[in-house]
Amino acid sequence: MTKTFTRSAGRAANQLRPVRITRNYTVHAEGSVLIEFGATKVLCTASVEERVPPHKRGSGEGWVTAEYGMLPRATHTRGDREAAKGKQSGRTQEIQRLIGRSLRAVFDLALLGERTITLDCDVLQADGGTRTAAITGAFVAARDAVDRLLADGRIAASPIKDAVAAISVGLVDGVPLLDLEYIEDSACDTDMNVVMTGAGGFVELQGTAEGVVFTRDEMSALLDLADKGIGELLELQKQA
Amino acid sequence: MTKTFTRSAGRAANQLRPVRITRNYTVHAEGSVLIEFGATKVLCTASVEERVPPHKRGSGEGWVTAEYGMLPRATHTRGDREAAKGKQSGRTQEIQRLIGRSLRAVFDLALLGERTITLDCDVLQADGGTRTAAITGAFVAARDAVDRLLADGRIAASPIKDAVAAISVGLVDGVPLLDLEYIEDSACDTDMNVVMTGAGGFVELQGTAEGVVFTRDEMSALLDLADKGIGELLELQKQA
Amino acid sequence: MTKTFTRSAGRAANQLRPVRITRNYTVHAEGSVLIEFGATKVLCTASVEERVPPHKRGSGEGWVTAEYGMLPRATHTRGDREAAKGKQSGRTQEIQRLIGRSLRAVFDLALLGERTITLDCDVLQADGGTRTAAITGAFVAARDAVDRLLADGRIAASPIKDAVAAISVGLVDGVPLLDLEYIEDSACDTDMNVVMTGAGGFVELQGTAEGVVFTRDEMSALLDLADKGIGELLELQKQA
Amino acid sequence: MTKTFTRSAGRAANQLRPVRITRNYTVHAEGSVLIEFGATKVLCTASVEERVPPHKRGSGEGWVTAEYGMLPRATHTRGDREAAKGKQSGRTQEIQRLIGRSLRAVFDLALLGERTITLDCDVLQADGGTRTAAITGAFVAARDAVDRLLADGRIAASPIKDAVAAISVGLVDGVPLLDLEYIEDSACDTDMNVVMTGAGGFVELQGTAEGVVFTRDEMSALLDLADKGIGELLELQKQA
Amino acid sequence: MTKTFTRSAGRAANQLRPVRITRNYTVHAEGSVLIEFGATKVLCTASVEERVPPHKRGSGEGWVTAEYGMLPRATHTRGDREAAKGKQSGRTQEIQRLIGRSLRAVFDLALLGERTITLDCDVLQADGGTRTAAITGAFVAARDAVDRLLADGRIAASPIKDAVAAISVGLVDGVPLLDLEYIEDSACDTDMNVVMTGAGGFVELQGTAEGVVFTRDEMSALLDLADKGIGELLELQKQA
Amino acid sequence: MTKTFTRSAGRAANQLRPVRITRNYTVHAEGSVLIEFGATKVLCTASVEERVPPHKRGSGEGWVTAEYGMLPRATHTRGDREAAKGKQSGRTQEIQRLIGRSLRAVFDLALLGERTITLDCDVLQADGGTRTAAITGAFVAARDAVDRLLADGRIAASPIKDAVAAISVGLVDGVPLLDLEYIEDSACDTDMNVVMTGAGGFVELQGTAEGVVFTRDEMSALLDLADKGIGELLELQKQA
């Protein structure tokens, strides 16, 4: 592949943006992580509550769920505040459902017991990849919350079966790129979000063609990139 | 692969359910199609309006969008009526956004001119695969609406660049199956919805692991199945 | 009366449109009826649930209620989807309350026991008379649901005391017409919806003057028409 | 008819409750009337605004509409405040639509010109018959507002074509009663609201059987009563 | 202070408008008071219910809360009906929270027992000072409701510890005025609402500069005025 | 006054918590300030838009408004996300109205021209005093936004007439304290929020007795404290 696309800050096509994971960013939550993918900053908190939603009551199992939000001026131009509009957008709901499913994929809900972990992922600053940063950061916050439950003796064994992380990949002018920033995301032909576990299996895969459809070969190249990126993120999660 | 899974009605793993496409199912809409994937029945209507949403005003371009709904008793047990609850669920919004993106992928919005085609996909009876049936049927309804615009001389050339169809595939007990019905969907480890064009490119790809993660080989097998199924659907669309 | 008004399809002033009642139109509901009054098509399902609303809890009595909806393109021009707008219109609420009262009029709620029958009446195609078709079809769906409860031994005796059906009548250019279709409904001076039981009593009577008020003699002529029409509908219900 | 039913305050079966119409009850509205049917008290204000809803813009015609509300403690036990619940009940919407249609029946909207008269009917105290009191009082408020428009020279001729008033009638233990109060309304087998013009024509007729269906003879007796009552109300409106 | 400002009806700067308190204005509520501050008329009802909100359940304590509303045409130009808009404005919520806190300040919730008193304050006519009239009137309604509880033997001792009343004061063209009417409120530089008890302590103090900030000396003058006005109101409450 | 109350971290009764003002905390907004009052952290962004709300259109004047929110886990226990609930609480609306009024008090809207500055104040971590921190931080963000407008030549002269800052004061066990943290706020008898300008005038004053009423002497002591605290905040704003 001889095509080129110049990325900002001289980044290579298969290179992540600088990733920073700050634990204990706020003090009240059982887990609180600020995760930064370049200029994208998402605050992920994990809150433990001793109750479960109706469909889990009496089941002996717990629940893991997520909510997602974006501060009105996290973006280039101010967006409406969803609380003031009185409803969450379809995009917001899609993302928070994705985060919830991704986290539940690595949880043994029976070991969690009848309690709920809620992962609040709030975007303080957006520059592409907010949902993948959210999943990657939420896992660290969830792990901190579980560690506290273990330390407190409220659970005997960790309900976390594996790690989980996510990254976006995309085709811009036909070039496969890892970890799209906003300007690349806007320009891309195909945008794919990939969620994988520590063991290397896929949890979620969402690819969307914007304008130009993609082929199986292109998808294969994108998955190679994603695999590499997620491997690096899983390592950064461990170090955090 | 030696695993087996017995499907209802003796269906083979790589076999679609009987598909029926009934055009002109209702009389008022510019396009009106009842599509059936086995026991799943979705009424897809295409409505043409001579106005566009704010972000397209004055652009010379049109818009294609979709709305999705399910009658309260389309399912085994009665679900709440979304109009009575006062909001659409996250699932509903996800699906209608997916249908809209899929249809726009094969439209040249400039050739459509400043008008909107709204695809209403209402599920009369559900047995798995409602979103893929909706996309496949909505394309036929959209084509009928475009044909009427052409016949009326309101547009000079068709804005439809290619056909589009969709199918679900999944792994049940490790066996890749084409076109999941409800009981298979509930039991599956991985559920993947694939949207492709007549030319064979991917428009959307959404895979979700439920319980057990999936590998790249499994994904490859699923895509082979989807490719086969969509080829057959595209043929049925042409015949309709 | 020497005035004349030419109806479509050479229909006489006192003639119903062709009525078709299709039972078991969908498979999941305990009762499922597609009723057609000419081009008006309403899908009526009866769902049985083993719980009652708060005002009936502990009373030993059941409840019968109805919900009504119209697919966005059931009509000549597309209407807003109520689920997307986030509320049901006043018209929708009026109609569903009318259907519920009409059905309860022929039910012995004590014999039903503490369970609820919900009648969902969804208009697939509208050409006038949707509320009267809905009541007439909902009764057949309710009867099917009750028959299933009896067959299952969940109730010992039928809670249905009598049949119920409904028809619209109106004055168009001073001529009393039975079973108005849309074009007549739009043009009429008076529109009256009449709900009667098998024994011939009135359950509901709603007459509205649009433009020109109506006299007692006119009302008498309209009630004669309604009586005749409902007699025929009750017969069709029995045959169905 | 030899049946008897003892009414409170020794009222005869065909007797209205004491009716009081107080004009200029509040100072800001163009028309402001407190109407009392016995213990039922409804404040009806008519507000004139120099704009019309979208469907009348540019038509040269005006609009007349109504809104209805009940103070939370207008009733025996406190009801929820609709503003706090975030929506108007189906009952509220039914009533305000009825009031609006009833008033429009006596208005020539072309003579009104492109302006809107909004009739706000707020129940301060309820004891049955709030909707009929509201219609009867709203007409007086509307007339006062029209008189002010005429006095100000904003319209040249009155758009009011006739008077309009309303009363409830019902069968209690088989006895036809005029102007039901709350305790009678709760006990009645049939409840009918009748709206008539000064010329004696029907504008609206809404009869509902509660428990026992009604016959044509019973309806005839009820309409005789209503006719008498409305005649008296029209006289009281003139005196007011 | 040599500045002057001519008030309507020759009112002195430190003079209340004529205040009228009418008890038992409506019949259903346990307490029902129409309070008038000049042309401002607020209907305050106190409703007793034998249940408490969740945060008080099982506590042995009761709750006192308030709701506030304004009839659409209580004002010079018609305002939107909050029930029709589907939400209460921020102003409405601010005011009803203020009324609730003010009343709770003089209640011993333990002596009330596990029951709720809801104070509904509905403005029939507005001319400034609706929130202060509401607090002053609501106290009288609450006292009547408590007296009834005592008379019925449902409580043994009165939970009311002291009286409470409220008045507005403001600076108009630099002149401190007591009990602002609408025209003064619109013109004032500073508007302050003061809530005090019978014993002379402050419950609430809310001062807002509109345009020109205020000094401590000005505030002192305003508090003197408020103190005088509230003293008179407390006396009027006693007489009522 | 000899009473004592031991504050955390050995803080004196008249001492502010450590205050930190971080400008340019996020990159997209025209002004972006993280303000910390001890453990309370509020992100205040100022967004400039070239349009005004309806009531200012064509007036030549601009508008300054504020929105307030709290991340769900900013607090000790997780609160509901307002966007998910579909409405802002009364408390949220009260606070954002207060912030908006406070900022407008120091703005010359004519000099701003027909544009809007929206101040989004989002609480990342709460420990009492979020509204006063928000006002104090929002002023700095607004100043940065205005400086950018000046630098860009979009306005000729600064519309900011004076500085504005806010602090809370309260009586805890009878002791007047400056800048209450959460534990003090929960325990206090009186809580007062004071907003003042650089010139020392009052913009807003909101005092609430919780349990025990307060006297004029106590208020005087509280205002002395507030005056001192706001003086220090104004100095910190200048340094920032």
Side-chain angles (χ1 to χ4, degrees), chain D residues 80-122:
Chain D
D80 288 335
R81 183 177 291 267
E82 291 187 330
K85 286 187 72 173
K87 65 174 182 174
Q88 295 179 298
S89 71
R91 179 186 173 277
T92 291
Q93 292 196 58
E94 245 178 65
I95 294 176
Q96 65 193 11
R97 284 158 57 88
L98 172 67
I99 301 170
R101 285 198 309 271
S102 297
L103 270 286
R104 283 195 296 278
V106 295
F107 259 82
D108 180 326
L109 297 175
L111 286 180
L112 180 57
E114 280 206 22
R115 53 180 62 83
T116 298
I117 298 182
T118 302
L119 298 152
D120 285 291
C121 300
D122 285 277

Side-chain angles (χ1 to χ4, degrees), chain F:
Chain F
M1 191 169 297
T2 58
K3 295 176 198 168
T4 61
F5 178 91
T6 308
R7 309 189 83 176
S8 67
R11 185 149 66 106
N14 68 352
Q15 195 180 346
L16 291 177
R17 286 176 284 179
V19 173
R20 276 213 300 178
I21 299 176
T22 308
R23 288 170 58 212
N24 304 316
Y25 186 74
T26 56
V27 299
H28 300 309
E30 285 75 28
S32 174
V33 167
L34 183 76
I35 187 160
E36 298 170 71
F37 280 19
T40 290
K41 302 184 185 195
V42 186
L43 173 53
C44 307
T45 60
S47 297
V48 179
E49 289 167 300
E50 293 294 319
R51 55 193 167 84
V52 286
H55 74 282
K56 283 293 181 187
R57 273 179 211 148
S59 71
E61 294 197 339
W63 189 241
V64 175
T65 187
E67 289 188 3
Y68 172 92
M70 209 182 246
L71 296 193
R73 196 55 198 277
T75 43
H76 284 78
T77 56
R78 187 176 183 273
D80 287 335
R81 183 177 291 266
E82 291 186 332
K85 287 187 72 173
K87 65 175 184 174
Q88 295 179 298
S89 71
R91 178 186 174 276
T92 290
Q93 292 195 58
E94 246 180 66
I95 293 176
Q96 66 192 11
R97 284 158 57 88
L98 172 67
I99 301 170
R101 285 198 308 272
S102 297
L103 270 287
R104 282 194 295 278
V106 295
F107 260 81
D108 180 326
L109 297 175
L111 285 179
L112 179 57
E114 279 204 25
R115 53 180 61 85
T116 298
I117 298 181
T118 301
L119 298 152
D120 284 292
C121 300
D122 284 277
V123 179
L124 304 188
Q125 190 171 286
D127 188 27
T130 64
R131 78 190 73 188
T132 52
I135 292 167
T136 307
F139 175 72
V140 181
R143 204 179 52 193
D144 281 352
V146 162
D147 285 349
R148 186 173 305 191
L149 285 172
L150 285 166
D152 293 354
R154 286 158 72 190
I155 53 176
S158 173
I160 295 181
K161 303 180 293 184
D162 198 349
V164 66
I167 200 67
S168 73
V169 286
L171 290 166
V172 181
D173 297 345
V175 183
L177 297 181
L178 180 66
D179 185 19
L180 305 185
E181 51 196 78
Y182 175 73
I183 201 171
E184 296 167 344
D185 196 17
S186 306
C188 75
D189 297 319
T190 291
D191 174 21
M192 190 174 286
N193 291 291
V194 183
V195 186
M196 295 179 76
T197 60
F202 290 104
V203 173
E204 289 276 343
L205 189 67
Q206 299 194 335
T208 298
E210 320 252 1
V212 184
V213 296
F214 56 99
T215 64
R216 245 166 114 163
D217 282 351
E218 287 171 330
M219 189 174 67
S220 199
L222 291 174
L223 292 179
D224 288 342
L225 270 184
D227 197 43
K228 170 183 180 295
I230 286 177
E232 293 171 26
L233 289 174
L234 290 162
E235 191 54 40
L236 289 161
Q237 284 177 332
K238 266 183 229 157
Q239 291 167 13

Side-chain angles (χ1 to χ4, degrees), chain A residues 9 63 69-71 84 96 111 139 155 158 170 187 193 205 232 234:
Chain A
W63 190 241
M70 210 182 245
L71 296 193
Q96 65 193 12
L111 285 179
F139 174 72
I155 52 176
S158 174
N193 291 291
L205 188 67
E232 292 171 26
L234 289 163

Side-chain angles (χ1 to χ4, degrees), chain D residues 1-54:
Chain D
M1 191 170 295
T2 59
K3 295 175 199 168
T4 60
F5 179 91
T6 308
R7 309 189 84 177
S8 67
R11 185 150 65 109
N14 69 350
Q15 195 181 347
L16 292 177
R17 287 176 284 179
V19 173
R20 275 212 300 177
I21 298 176
T22 308
R23 289 169 58 213
N24 303 317
Y25 187 73
T26 56
V27 300
H28 300 310
E30 285 74 28
S32 174
V33 166
L34 182 76
I35 187 160
E36 299 170 71
F37 280 19
T40 289
K41 302 183 185 196
V42 185
L43 174 52
C44 308
T45 60
S47 297
V48 179
E49 289 168 300
E50 294 293 320
R51 54 194 166 84
V52 285

